[in-house]
Amino acid sequence: MSGPRPKTCDACGRGIAPSAVYYRFTLVLEGEQDVLDPSGGGSAGEDLAALLKQLEEGPESPQELEDQVHWERSGVVCSACRSMVVRTLAAPPEPARPH
């Protein structure tokens, strides 16, 4: 009977000893948009048709467009990287303005 497989931190690449604590994660980023940009001046249907035409004629492949809308990753991180991830994803100290 063999022991657990060696693990590698997905953030820093260091090996994680079998006796060390590690953290599993799953991160999913999904693009959303509440409303279409009304600057087109047409109806919602016309604006949507214009947007679809723009996407079809653009240089991005369907896979590139899909990757912009949905990205997911899972793995393990070491204790040091867990702290960094938590700090990065913690709520900002003051309300952020739109990008």
Side-chain angles (χ1 to χ4, degrees):
M1 179 173 171
S2 63
R5 291 188 349 226
K7 292 177 180 50
T8 302
C9 176
D10 287 310
C12 69
R14 288 184 293 210
I16 301 172
S19 60
V21 174
Y22 62 92
Y23 300 86
R24 293 193 176 281
F25 71 90
T26 301
L27 179 62
V28 178
L29 300 178
E30 295 179 332
E32 295 185 8
Q33 185 173 355
D34 291 331
V35 294
L36 291 175
D37 183 7
S39 64
S43 69
E46 291 170 342
D47 289 346
L48 183 56
L51 178 60
L52 287 173
K53 183 177 180 179
Q54 178 185 351
L55 291 173
E56 289 170 352
E57 294 173 354
E60 298 93 351
S61 72
Q63 184 61 48
E64 289 173 314
L65 293 171
E66 184 177 325
D67 290 345
Q68 291 176 22
V69 175
H70 182 90
W71 181 88
E72 68 182 81
R73 177 135 185 234
S74 61
V76 297
V77 293
C78 64
S79 295
C81 290
R82 178 202 177 273
S83 298
M84 183 229 6
V85 169
V86 169
R87 278 193 314 271
T88 301
L89 296 177
E94 59 187 53
R97 292 179 282 147
H99 293 273

